[in-house]
């Protein structure tokens, strides 16, 4: 069974990124994600159209994911920002 993953709205990402996985406030990082390096990754979601037949066709769709590589006092860390990058007007 996969571990629990906490979710929250994209508008909270800058605030939430200031806290480490241990729950401590990150030293040397003020939450400014725009100052971090932007990285992109392309993944694919695939589905088998008719899985009960031998002639089944597998179709895949690209899914673009975005990350920011940031630096704090302890070194680098990554934050997935896919939903945050898509928001309009701050």
């Amino acid at each position: 069974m996969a571990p629990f993953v906490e979710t929250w709205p994209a508008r909270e990402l800058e605030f939430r990124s200031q806290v480490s996985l241990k729950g401590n406030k990150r030293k040397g990082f003020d939450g400014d994600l725009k100052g971090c390096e932007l990285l992109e990754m392309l993944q694919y979601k695939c589905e088998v159209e008719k899985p009960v037949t031998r002639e089944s066709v597998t179709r895949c769709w690209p899914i673009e994911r975005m990350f920011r590589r940031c630096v704090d006092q302890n070194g680098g860390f990554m934050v997935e920002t896919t939903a945050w990058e898509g928001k309009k007007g701050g």
Side-chain angles (χ1 to χ4, degrees):
M1 183 178 194
F4 172 75
V5 176
E6 184 180 6
T7 60
W8 56 80
R11 68 180 175 272
E12 294 181 18
L13 189 57
E14 288 179 295
F15 170 75
R16 298 275 188 153
S17 66
Q18 294 180 54
V19 179
S20 72
L21 291 175
K22 295 179 181 177
N24 303 324
K25 182 166 173 44
R26 293 184 189 279
K27 294 180 181 174
F29 179 70
D30 63 359
D32 180 19
L33 292 172
K34 291 182 181 175
C36 301
E37 178 184 9
L38 177 64
L39 303 168
E40 298 177 49
M41 178 174 68
L42 195 59
Q43 291 184 311
Y44 291 88
K45 177 181 179 180
C46 300
E47 294 179 7
V48 179
E49 287 190 343
K50 298 177 184 175
V52 294
T53 68
R54 287 183 168 224
E55 294 79 30
S56 297
V57 176
T58 302
R59 301 222 188 262
C60 298
W61 298 268
I63 299 172
E64 183 180 34
R65 295 178 67 193
M66 297 180 188
F67 299 84
R68 294 283 178 153
R69 185 181 337 203
C70 303
V71 178
D72 65 6
Q73 184 175 322
N74 295 322
F77 63 96
M78 301 271 287
V79 178
E80 182 175 359
T81 59
T82 304
W84 182 80
E85 300 291 347
K87 71 179 185 173
K88 303 288 183 203

